Each structure stands twice: as structure tokens, then as C-alpha cells.
Amino acid sequence: MKLGIYVAIAENGVIGREGGLPWRLSTDLKRFKADTMGKPIVVGRKTWESFPRRPLPGRLNIVVTRDKTFRAEGAEVVGSLADAIALATARARCMSGVDEICLVGGGEIYRDALPLADRLHVTHVLAEVDGDTRFPEIDPEIWQVVSSLDVPAGEKDSHATRYTVYERRADVH
Ligand SMILES: NC(=O)c1ccc[n+]([C@@H]2O[C@H](COP(=O)([O-])OP(=O)(O)OC[C@H]3O[C@@H](n4cnc5c(N)ncnc54)[C@H](OP(=O)(O)O)[C@@H]3O)[C@@H](O)[C@H]2O)c1
């Protein structure tokens, strides 16, 4: 099972502001939905609470929290990232054609997940954006670009983007 991070990152590393996203990227959300559909997604409690519609439909939603009393309707709740990955792996093995667990944020989850991930699906937002949550540096000695696509801003997009997939170089952890 591959571990894939899905994230949109501004040129200055920003991924979030005041608990939400500091941009509107409708084209990218459609691509995100298509790429993650049918797969387990792992999400931090704060990002879960930021979703306008919960759970994300058509995907097994797994929420990570240290709060043992936390309940999330329509999702599984676990107490650590390791538990989330174990649960997602067990469930994904029973789903035909699923070869990836999707780690979908936010900042705290990404920080812990980056050393474990096999693949990064990064929407580079082609602007510097104000915010309070950042993604760590993507080290080119660890991550190689396997595909990249420039996406001009559509009518419902605040920015142009570049959608880049990175894979971990063999044996670099
Ligand atoms: N640009 C993007 O692609 C993208 C994607 C997703 C989110 N975001 C943005 O990122 C921001 C949220 O990120 P964030 O870092 O503040 O929060 P987060 O990672 O979404 O959630 C943090 C919470 O998750 C739980 N958690 C995290 N690591 C844990 C661990 N190892 N064990 C147990 N529980 C753990 C804790 O919940 P408890 O406090 O309940 O214990 C923690 O407070 C928002 O602005 C959001 O919009 C951006």
C-alpha cells in the first residue's frame, strides 16, 4: 500500500490560514476528488472540522485526534497517525483496486507523515500567500518529480497552479 500526501502549497510554503484555505481552487478540488475517490483518507481533527461538508463522500474518512471522547459522524476516529495508517491499510486491502492511502492534512499531520510518505501530490499555488500553517520543505535529494502539469486559473480559481507528483527516491528515508 502506498502512502500519498495530497496538499496545495503556496510559493512561500503556506497551506492554511485561520483554520481554512487561503484560496479558492475549484479546478484543483475536482482533481483532488477524482484522485482520492474510493480510497481511505486520513485527516487531522482541525482539518476535519474545517470541511464544509463532512465526511468527504465516497471515501473512508479517518480522523486523528488525541481526544478520546471525540466522535465524528460518518468517519472512523483514531488516536495516532500510526493507528490511522494501520486502519486504512487493513480496510484498503478489502477494497478492490485501492493501492494508496491518502494523507490529506493539515499541517500537523503532514509534518508527521512526510517521513513516511511514498508519494506527494502537490498543487503548487503560483503565488505568495499570507497564512499561519506551512508545509515543510520538499527536499529534492529525497523527492523526485515524476510528473508536472501547469493549470491556468479557471473562472472559479483564485490562482494558477502547477500540479506536480513527487516520488521518494529509492532507499531514501
Ligand atoms: N493546503 C492544503 O492542501 C491543506 C490541506 C488540509 C488542511 N489545510 C489547512 O491546514 C490547517 C490545519 O492544520 P493544523 O496543523 O492546524 O491541524 P490538523 O493537522 O488538521 O489537525 C491537528 C489536530 O489533529 C490531531 N493530531 C495531529 N497529529 C496527531 C497525532 N500524532 N496523534 C493524535 N492526534 C493528532 C490533534 O487533534 P486534537 O487537538 O483533537 O487532539 C491536532 O490538534 C487549516 O488551515 C487547513 O485549512 C490545508
Side-chain angles (χ1 to χ4, degrees):
M1 202 61 60
K2 296 281 185 199
L3 286 183
I5 282 181
Y6 286 75
V7 63
I9 315 175
E11 285 170 351
N12 54 348
V14 163
I15 63 162
R17 182 167 64 217
E18 294 171 2
L21 297 172
W23 43 65
R24 183 162 180 248
L25 296 172
S26 178
T27 306
D28 191 58
L29 282 180
K30 287 195 188 105
R31 195 254 336 136
F32 170 81
K33 185 174 179 185
D35 285 357
T36 58
M37 191 49 66
K39 301 176 185 174
I41 62 160
V42 174
V43 63
R45 192 265 307 162
K46 292 183 184 170
T47 295
W48 167 259
E49 291 191 332
S50 79
F51 288 162
R53 186 175 164 211
R54 321 188 270 263
L56 296 192
R59 289 147 278 190
L60 169 65
N61 288 222
I62 301 175
V63 183
V64 186
T65 174
R66 296 182 182 88
D67 179 354
K68 292 188 171 53
T69 67
F70 190 77
R71 298 286 172 272
E73 203 177 324
E76 305 264 4
V77 178
V78 296
S80 69
L81 181 61
D83 284 355
I85 292 169
L87 176 63
T89 304
R91 292 296 177 78
R93 287 203 177 115
C94 306
M95 301 172 179
S96 75
V98 173
D99 64 351
E100 184 181 50
I101 293 162
C102 307
L103 305 156
V104 304
E108 202 178 330
I109 295 294
Y110 289 141
R111 255 191 322 275
D112 290 351
L114 187 59
L116 309 172
D118 302 296
R119 198 183 285 152
L120 310 178
H121 301 257
V122 180
T123 301
H124 290 286
V125 179
L126 301 182
E128 300 216 341
V129 177
D130 285 341
D132 50 33
T133 314
R134 283 166 197 272
F135 194 85
E137 188 212 346
I138 298 173
D139 183 346
E141 296 204 347
I142 298 178
W143 298 100
Q144 64 181 334
V145 173
V146 293
S147 68
S148 198
L149 178 70
D150 283 323
V151 182
E155 243 175 55
K156 295 183 180 170
D157 302 322
S158 56
H159 299 86
T161 60
R162 179 174 300 125
Y163 175 61
T164 304
V165 179
Y166 299 81
E167 281 186 3
R168 183 180 292 280
R169 295 184 188 279
D171 300 327
V172 184
H173 280 277

